[in-house]
Amino acid sequence: MALSVHWLYRPRFRLCLSVLAFLLVAALGTLAISWQTSQGLRKDHAASLAQSVYMVDMTLDNAAVAADTVNYLIGAPCTEETIQALRWQVAKVPNVRTVNLYTGDTIYCTSLFGEKIDFVSQGHYAGGQLMLMSGNAVTPNHPLIAYRHDVNGQGVLVGVDGYFLHNILRLLSQQKFLVLKVGDQWMDNQGKIHRDLGWPKGERMALASQRYPYEMRLVISGSDHWRYIFDYATASLVLFPLVGLFVAFMTYGLLGRFGTPVTALKTALEKKQFIPWLQPVVDGTDHKITGCEVLMRWQHPHSGLIPPYQFIPLAEESGLIVPMTRSMMAQVRDQFGPIAAQLPKGFHFGFNICASHFKDLTLVEDCKAFIDAFKENPVHLVLELTERELIEQTDITHSLFSSLRRMGVLIAMDDFGTGHSSLAYLQNFHIDILKIDQSFIGRIGTDALAGHIVDNVIDLAKRLRLIIVAEGVETQAQVDYLTPYQLEFLQGYFFSKPLAPNTFIEKWLKE
Ligand code: C2E
Ligand code: CA
Ligand code: CA
């Protein structure tokens, strides 16, 4: 019987387990959502990068077309015709703002101003081909990207309007930090050109163009993750807490349903599976039967006869011991009342009563009903209180004890010597009987100390004028040791083990 794990079924423990189950599902959910989100984010960002590279490539393709078209003018003098040809490209090719001719570091012919000498360091061009500029002489705050088509130190410079690039960045950088990087310069989604940009914290992704020397870069920050959770894992956000709650309820319910040991005790009580067994108590001198102790057994349908140490602690803890004990008294009463005449004169029945039962006024009624059932041949009813569980001295317990005394109920101190009851305690509660614990009797003859203790206990009991029962008498040697003391009662396997009521009647009352 696994009654020792009854704490597993306690409401508080079940609640803790349910909360744990919920937290476990929630943790798994968080992991799943976080994985789902980061996968979604990465895919989404990779797509944004590919798309932005595709669009920037297309913009630069226009510049390349314009440069290719005026390829034949490289090194040509800046005549009216040349200027006209350059301007024709600006007018015709989309995104192109200026087309200029240069030789070495000198621009000598421009679509905007015609023949104009300007200087530009060719070393600033990333890959010799691209340079980001925050503006030019005409529109100083309007960013542009310069495309350079070089043939042996001479060539064409095409200015592409930064507006288009800026638009691409703005469109694709919704909820993310996306920039265009050319050499050591960057354009952000506001169209601003930076060097040494302070990158936000987070995971970086980049995609370089296959055709031009630039790359697109973006950063996934922690806050992006949270925003994306709502986009990519909305269902999971609702689902996991619901599953968590479901699992928690199931855990709580199942732990309760699989029958807590307390429920098992309740059911057993309803089905009358707790039955009394009886152990004879004999006279200390002639060893004739004088009474019996009622010892509870659980007649379990599957596990057979279960001894009390396996269920009494839980019964006491759960409070079920009270109705269980009442059931013992009722069963013994109903079985022995009708055959009261067969009992020896002054026969006593001892019941084990736990401390909590002494707060219950039904005890007096039950005792009265028990005694009344034996009017034909009155018996002594003995209530055994264990010394390990001392009863509090309150008004209620005192009035209970007084009522019981008036009815003639005897009080026995069980397991005497194992607890710490004082003389005052013994006198306060008017104890009538001392049951010397079997551990002392068991050691008789094995060590001198046990013998001394037994001597002292007997001596004390006799001086207090208490009736003495020696419990756990198993051997002839123990009987011989105890005989000179002329104790009132002896109990133990030497005389008989506890027996089922019918066997008890058969063996001890028929003779
Ligand atoms: P207890 O009240 O001290 O009962 C005596 C125990 O010693 C019984 O064990 C009995 O079978 C055993 N016994 C008797 N003679 C000998 C002997 O010569 N040698 C040995 N080794 N043992 C002997 P049981 O029936 O297993 O009961 C154990 C305990 O369970 C009882 O100890 C009592 O504390 C508790 N118990 C039993 N029935 C009830 C009950 O109806 N109510 C309550 N509250 N407790 C009960
Ligand atoms: Ca007892
Ligand atoms: Ca005992």
Side-chain angles (χ1 to χ4, degrees):
M1 274 264 96
L3 295 188
S4 51
V5 293
H6 61 272
W7 49 267
L8 195 73
Y9 304 92
R10 283 193 183 153
R12 200 186 298 168
F13 188 78
R14 281 162 64 198
L15 197 68
C16 284
L17 268 189
S18 310
V19 170
L20 267 181
F22 176 79
L23 290 178
L24 191 75
V25 175
L28 280 175
T30 310
L31 271 178
I33 288 174
S34 151
W35 183 81
Q36 211 178 353
T37 305
S38 69
Q39 291 299 309
L41 253 178
R42 206 154 295 157
K43 241 164 87 179
D44 191 49
H45 285 8
S48 294
L49 284 173
Q51 205 176 353
S52 61
V53 166
Y54 174 76
M55 290 167 87
V56 173
D57 275 1
M58 265 192 4
T59 310
L60 292 175
D61 283 348
N62 286 330
V65 166
D68 268 354
T69 315
V70 296
N71 197 12
Y72 67 97
L73 294 172
I74 290 173
C78 191
T79 61
E80 213 32 58
E81 234 172 89
T82 307
I83 295 166
Q84 209 48 48
L86 298 181
R87 282 181 182 158
W88 182 238
Q89 291 309 309
V90 174
K92 203 178 79 181
V93 185
N95 311 345
V96 169
R97 263 171 66 197
T98 60
V99 180
N100 314 311
L101 296 174
Y102 71 89
T103 173
D105 285 345
T106 312
I107 296 171
Y108 67 92
C109 192
T110 74
S111 57
L112 260 177
F113 305 109
E115 187 170 5
K116 181 175 188 288
I117 304 299
D118 214 345
F119 292 98
V120 60
S121 172
Q122 304 302 332
H124 287 158
Y125 282 83
Q129 206 175 29
L130 291 180
M131 180 164 68
L132 275 176
M133 298 166 73
S134 45
N136 62 8
V138 185
T139 49
N141 295 320
H142 195 96
L144 64 137
I145 187 165
Y147 171 83
R148 177 171 172 265
H149 176 85
D150 188 78
V151 181
N152 300 325
Q154 294 186 318
V156 188
L157 284 179
V158 179
V160 175
D161 199 329
Y163 174 76
F164 298 104
L165 302 173
H166 163 202
N167 251 358
I168 294 168
L169 286 173
R170 214 177 43 202
L171 275 173
L172 294 175
S173 67
Q174 302 285 328
Q175 297 192 351
K176 59 183 91 75
F177 185 77
L178 178 69
V179 298
L180 163 67
K181 179 179 182 273
V182 179
D184 58 358
Q185 289 187 303
W186 318 78
M187 180 190 280
D188 65 18
N189 67 354
Q190 308 290 316
K192 290 210 174 77
I193 310 294
H194 305 266
R195 225 180 271 272
D196 302 326
L197 186 71
W199 282 92
K201 277 195 185 133
E203 186 188 338
R204 291 185 194 180
M205 287 177 75
L207 184 66
S209 164
Q210 301 290 311
R211 306 219 296 272
Y212 303 100
Y214 76 91
E215 68 179 31
M216 303 303 300
R217 282 195 175 188
L218 59 74
V219 178
I220 308 169
S221 68
S223 59
D224 287 343
H225 269 274
W226 284 110
R227 267 199 307 272
Y228 272 76
I229 281 177
F230 291 97
D231 294 344
Y232 287 98
T234 329
S236 309
L237 270 184
V238 182
L239 199 68
F240 277 108
L242 284 181
V243 172
L245 280 178
F246 177 74
V247 171
F249 276 118
M250 289 296 281
T251 308
Y252 192 82
L254 283 181
L255 276 180
R257 228 194 39 215
F258 278 139
T260 66
V262 174
T263 320
L265 285 189
K266 270 188 200 154
T267 315
L269 181 62
E270 281 161 18
K271 293 188 173 168
K272 299 217 181 323
Q273 289 171 1
F274 296 110
I275 52 164
W277 274 42
L278 308 163
Q279 186 178 30
V281 175
V282 303
D283 183 279
T285 313
D286 63 16
H287 301 172
K288 283 199 173 135
I289 185 159
T290 57
C292 66
E293 178 175 0
V294 179
L295 295 159
M296 203 185 303
R297 298 289 181 266
W298 182 353
Q299 181 72 67
H300 196 279
H302 306 301
S303 313
L305 211 59
I306 301 175
Y309 73 88
Q310 288 194 11
F311 60 88
I312 293 282
L314 179 60
E316 288 186 355
E317 203 180 305
S318 61
L320 281 171
I321 189 68
V322 172
M324 282 158 74
T325 308
R326 297 186 70 192
S327 159
M328 282 310 102
M329 291 179 84
Q331 288 182 60
V332 174
R333 185 192 67 203
D334 293 347
Q335 196 154 10
F336 286 84
I339 55 158
Q342 278 186 44
L343 299 170
K345 271 228 144 336
F347 192 83
H348 58 86
F349 286 98
F351 288 91
N352 292 285
I353 306 289
C354 68
S356 64
H357 206 154
F358 259 87
K359 293 174 190 144
D360 198 319
L361 290 170
T362 57
L363 185 62
V364 176
E365 290 163 30
D366 292 339
C367 290
K368 189 168 169 359
F370 190 88
I371 290 168
D372 286 351
F374 294 89
K375 279 202 171 117
E376 196 187 327
N377 177 18
V379 295
H380 290 296
L381 172 58
V382 181
L383 301 186
E384 298 189 4
L385 302 172
T386 174
E387 202 204 17
R388 285 187 297 261
E389 206 187 57
L390 292 185
I391 287 166
E392 277 177 65
Q393 303 189 27
T394 64
D395 291 345
I396 297 180
T397 49
H398 272 289
S399 82
L400 243 162
F401 270 100
S402 312
S403 308
L404 293 171
R405 280 185 73 75
R406 276 197 299 275
M407 277 174 0
V409 174
L410 299 173
I411 306 294
M413 173 86 353
D414 202 357
D415 309 326
F416 189 72
T418 58
H420 25 253
S421 61
S422 63
L423 281 182
Y425 183 87
L426 293 179
Q427 278 165 339
N428 261 334
F429 283 118
H430 299 285
I431 303 294
D432 304 288
I433 302 167
L434 275 193
K435 295 190 80 173
I436 303 174
D437 190 66
Q438 48 184 279
S439 59
F440 300 114
I441 308 296
R443 276 156 59 194
I444 287 175
T446 59
D447 67 84
L449 184 65
H452 278 307
I453 294 174
V454 173
D455 296 348
N456 279 318
V457 169
I458 292 172
D459 186 50
L460 170 75
K462 288 209 157 160
R463 270 192 281 155
L464 290 171
R465 296 184 193 289
L466 299 177
I467 300 167
I468 301 171
V469 182
E471 263 195 305
V473 180
E474 290 184 351
T475 63
Q476 183 65 53
Q478 289 161 356
V479 174
D480 293 344
Y481 184 92
L482 294 168
T483 302
Y485 290 101
Q486 293 184 303
L487 302 181
E488 283 82 357
F489 302 118
L490 301 178
Q491 179 184 349
Y493 291 173
F494 182 76
F495 305 103
S496 169
K497 285 197 170 184
L499 303 166
N502 287 336
T503 321
F504 177 82
I505 294 170
E506 197 61 39
K507 280 201 168 170
W508 289 86
L509 300 181
K510 287 263 160 87
E511 289 152 17

